[in-house]
Amino acid sequence: MKYQSQKVALYYFGGALALFVVQVLVGTLAGTIYVVPNLLADVIPFNIVRMIHTNALIVWLLMGFFGCAYYLIPEEAETELHSPGLAILQFWLFLAGALAAVVGYLFHIHVGREFLEQPLWIKLAIVVVALMFLYNITLTVLKGRKTAITNVLLLGLWGIAVFFLFSLYNPSNLILDKMFWWWVVHLWVEGVWELVMASVLAFLMIKMTGVDREVVEKWLYVIIALALFSGILGTGHHYYWIGTPAYWQWIGSIFSTFEVLPFFAMVIFTFTMVWKGGRNHPNKAALLWSLGCSVFAFFGAGVWGFLHTLAPINYYTHGTQVTAAHGHLAFYGAYVMVNIAMFTYAMPQLLGRAPYNQVLNMVGFWVTSAAMAFMTFALTFAGVVQVHLQRVLGMTYMDVQDQVSLFYWFRLGAGVFVVLGVLMIVWSLVVPGARTREAVGYAPAE
Amino acid sequence: MSETLTKAAARNIFYGGTVFFFVIFVGLVAQSVSSAKTIARANPITPSVAAGKQVWEKHACIDCHTLLGEGAYFAPELGNVWVRFGGRQDPVAAREGLRAWFAAQPSHVEGRRQMPQFHMSAKDVDNLIDFLKWTSEIPTQNWPPKVSG
């Protein structure tokens, strides 16, 4: 850490990790309701549980991105943050808004579009928080050094804010509602979020491998070009069956097939950089998370996305557990892991320590990743059986669900291990122990 | 990576290409918006359909069910529930069937997923049914493959 104001990132990392625990606990509850359906049915219906699970995920990932930006931007721009006080105020506002939303959900205060269940006043508060954030980081970049990493990160973060505005548009025509709902959901996770992910990975590669910035930044532009060239028109794979014209089947199939490429490029990029750099960076855990991120994103977002993206296949798989399998592994691989990679790298720096609890952190990595992989397989098998019974043979939905209940037990088992792994990761990050950097004679690599 | 591609070239390709593809995307979406409006002109969104959509959202139905394949996967697809209840053959009976279904929840059957009792007014129920009927008439390229949803 070179700039005092980077410390504001600690608030965001802490808040994100707390919500991460909430997210996986509530996810486990949802997985339990799948196999013990009467559980809590009269107290907290499944829709509320699911709402909290997905919203907690989205909020903690965004909180993590904010933290990543506050850590990364002063160091890249080589200047203190424009206003650390505003950043801290922004954190508390965001956390208060998130908690108010969750408590409200428990009392059935919500609106009703998937992932966008926040009442209008919370959506507007999110816009205010986003403006505070963008003002702060944009002014910081403008007064400092401009690098490809800060350019791409800023573009991604501005994109997040701009596309969120479409959440305020809710026409009574369901076709239009769905079309523009995807302008938030798809253009986030298969668009501008990839810019954030790629720029954070590029930053970590520069810091940890010692490869020349010129090389890393060229890779960065190639990766994000692949991401947006495929991802923008790849939105078409959500426009197959919602009342939109048939040409989307061609456009969506072709372009979303190419959405595998940026994730493949990220695998090649991270492994090549680590191999070429040859530097023995002391933070092994952060390196593991960075490499793991590109690999799991490739499988979760890339391969599992491609599995059901072609229109003739999606005709049968659309809205089944195949989608759930892809959703879980994609979010984990791409966005959970990039956040944990950055937290693992940055927290020792922010706390002025040598990398700590690395073994526990890496055990947490393997437990969580193996459990997420197992969960994905379980849901994929459930989905394939569901597709055959329901979409080919025409059995009714509930009869099919009884047939696949074994896979839901497997999923729940995997979920319990995810919780264990996440607790290890969180413990390893937030309980640094007593040994300081000076005590072990640690000199930062960079 | 190849020496022939410089960082500045990669950056320019990124910005130029992104603008190019985004412009195409916006053009196609504009065409699809006009197509969606044509659909709504042929099959008007009445005040009760619009109100029914709000009932649908008020109770966050999407966080258990799917609608045209989008939503949670905990409960049946409802884009064609009107068809499944026989609304095309006998709209009166389908409406009665749906009303009775809402009124009977939750089933409290042990080991079966529970739909909450939402205590909807008769008007809300009728509006919601109108919305589900309208949704079942959206031309979805013949999705879902089976009436089971």
Side-chain angles (χ1 to χ4, degrees):
Chain A
M1 187 187 73
K2 293 172 182 163
Y3 299 91
Q4 278 307 311
S5 53
Q6 286 175 284
K7 283 207 173 203
V8 299
L10 277 175
Y11 287 85
Y12 289 85
F13 295 167
L17 289 171
L19 286 168
F20 187 16
V21 174
V22 171
Q23 180 232 326
V24 292
L25 284 175
V26 177
T28 311
L29 175 61
T32 311
I33 295 175
Y34 256 89
V35 292
V36 188
N38 304 79
L39 181 73
L40 297 178
D42 296 320
V43 190
I44 320 170
F46 181 86
N47 62 343
I48 303 294
V49 176
R50 201 243 189 193
M51 203 182 282
I52 296 174
H53 176 58
T54 56
N55 279 233
L57 169 71
I58 298 163
V59 168
W60 90 254
L61 292 177
L62 287 172
M63 202 173 260
F65 288 166
F66 292 159
C68 289
Y70 281 133
Y71 181 83
L72 181 159
I73 283 177
E75 204 155 307
E76 281 290 293
E78 295 183 337
T79 174
E80 291 287 353
L81 201 59
H82 174 69
S83 168
L86 187 65
I88 292 169
L89 176 66
Q90 181 219 330
F91 168 77
W92 289 114
L93 271 180
F94 191 45
L95 187 68
L99 293 179
V102 168
V103 173
Y105 293 166
L106 291 173
F107 292 93
H108 299 257
I109 300 167
H110 54 71
V111 292
R113 290 193 302 161
E114 194 186 4
F115 312 133
L116 304 178
E117 294 94 346
Q118 313 82 29
L120 179 64
W121 72 270
I122 292 200
K123 285 202 182 78
L124 295 175
I126 292 171
V127 173
V128 171
V129 164
L131 286 175
M132 291 165 74
F133 170 71
L134 291 171
Y135 166 81
N136 211 348
I137 56 166
T138 306
L139 284 192
T140 309
V141 168
L142 286 179
K143 74 172 171 172
R145 180 177 68 146
K146 286 140 197 89
T147 68
I149 289 176
T150 55
N151 281 348
V152 173
L153 184 61
L154 273 191
L155 186 64
L157 293 165
W158 273 96
I160 289 174
V162 168
F163 290 117
F164 182 70
L165 295 177
F166 286 92
S167 74
L168 303 172
Y169 172 65
N170 183 13
S172 55
N173 184 330
L174 184 69
I175 307 170
L176 293 177
D177 169 358
K178 284 179 173 290
M179 280 176 67
F180 288 99
W181 180 81
W182 284 114
W183 278 52
V184 188
V185 177
H186 175 96
L187 292 180
W188 268 24
V189 299
E190 295 169 65
V192 289
W193 281 33
E194 285 186 49
L195 304 192
V196 175
M197 175 191 174
S199 58
V200 169
L201 277 181
F203 174 79
L204 289 171
M205 288 300 117
I206 288 178
K207 294 290 161 183
M208 288 195 288
T209 69
V211 171
D212 187 45
R213 174 179 289 275
E214 281 297 301
V215 177
V216 170
E217 293 190 334
K218 188 162 73 177
W219 269 98
L220 175 60
Y221 278 122
V222 169
I223 288 167
I224 60 170
L226 289 170
L228 293 193
F229 295 1
S230 62
I232 292 171
L233 284 169
T235 314
H237 67 183
H238 303 294
Y239 290 175
Y240 293 160
W241 328 116
I242 60 169
T244 31
Y247 56 72
W248 286 109
Q249 294 180 30
W250 284 97
I251 292 165
S253 296
I254 291 167
F255 281 90
S256 67
T257 296
F258 290 117
E259 284 188 46
V260 181
L261 292 181
F263 292 106
F264 185 65
M266 278 192 251
V267 176
I268 304 294
F269 164 62
T270 51
F271 279 81
T272 313
M273 292 305 107
V274 170
W275 170 65
K276 269 194 179 168
R279 180 198 276 181
N280 199 8
H281 195 274
N283 199 330
K284 300 277 178 271
L287 209 53
L288 178 65
W289 279 105
S290 307
L291 295 171
C293 172
S294 66
V295 172
F296 271 78
F298 169 67
F299 281 103
V303 177
W304 254 256
F306 176 69
L307 273 184
H308 58 137
T309 201
L310 297 175
I313 294 172
N314 191 261
Y315 182 68
Y316 290 99
T317 60
H318 180 52
T320 65
Q321 295 296 329
V322 173
T323 320
H326 161 60
H328 281 84
L329 199 64
F331 266 97
Y332 175 69
Y335 302 122
V336 170
M337 292 180 95
V338 77
N339 266 311
I340 303 297
M342 186 64 161
F343 298 179
T344 301
Y345 170 77
M347 285 186 72
Q349 311 265 359
L350 289 166
L351 297 172
R353 288 164 186 274
Y356 52 82
N357 296 340
Q358 294 219 59
V359 174
L360 181 62
N361 186 318
M362 290 193 275
V363 173
F365 168 94
W366 287 110
V367 171
T368 312
S369 301
M372 285 306 298
F374 192 85
M375 182 186 293
T376 304
F377 293 135
L379 291 174
T380 306
F381 291 131
V384 171
V385 174
Q386 182 186 8
V387 165
H388 185 70
L389 296 180
Q390 188 179 321
R391 297 279 165 79
V392 179
L393 300 183
M395 276 170 68
T396 66
Y397 177 90
M398 287 311 296
D399 289 343
V400 173
Q401 292 301 305
D402 288 340
Q403 294 296 316
V404 297
S405 63
L406 179 65
F407 297 111
Y408 294 141
W409 281 104
F410 287 158
R411 187 263 298 272
L412 176 59
V416 170
F417 278 91
V418 168
V419 171
L420 283 177
V422 168
L423 290 176
M424 288 181 203
I425 296 161
V426 172
W427 180 276
S428 77
L429 288 172
V430 302
V431 186
R435 293 203 318 165
T436 60
R437 176 183 297 186
E438 289 69 28
V440 292
Y442 170 78
E446 192 194 350
Chain B
M1 197 177 290
S2 161
E3 297 300 316
T4 49
L5 179 72
T6 64
K7 186 172 103 182
R11 183 194 61 210
N12 295 341
I13 291 169
F14 164 70
Y15 283 114
T18 298
V19 169
F20 174 76
F21 285 110
F22 198 72
V23 167
I24 294 178
F25 178 62
V26 169
L28 289 171
V29 167
Q31 200 281 331
S32 299
V33 166
S34 106
S35 143
K37 288 184 172 164
T38 308
I39 291 167
R41 265 195 299 278
N43 185 11
I45 298 167
T46 61
S48 72
V49 172
K53 183 168 183 280
Q54 288 178 4
V55 175
W56 166 267
E57 291 168 5
K58 181 181 168 196
H59 299 298
C61 309
I62 198 85
D63 279 298
C64 286
H65 293 276
T66 49
L67 192 67
L68 305 186
E70 294 164 2
Y73 317 108
F74 185 71
E77 162 68 30
L78 295 183
N80 66 342
V81 70
W82 177 251
V83 180
R84 210 151 55 233
F85 272 66
R88 282 188 184 157
Q89 292 78 32
D90 190 346
V92 177
R95 190 170 288 271
E96 274 312 313
L98 283 165
R99 279 183 190 139
W101 179 270
F102 292 130
Q105 305 305 317
S107 72
H108 287 301
V109 174
E110 195 58 33
R112 192 173 171 87
R113 295 180 193 172
Q114 298 297 306
M115 175 163 152
Q117 174 52 251
F118 290 110
H119 303 290
M120 290 183 279
S121 68
K123 192 171 167 49
D124 275 1
V125 169
D126 269 335
N127 290 340
L128 179 57
I129 294 171
D130 286 341
F131 168 67
L132 292 172
K133 175 176 179 291
W134 188 87
T135 302
S136 77
E137 289 156 359
I138 292 175
T140 56
Q141 317 291 337
N142 296 318
W143 191 91
K146 298 281 179 189
V147 76
S148 50

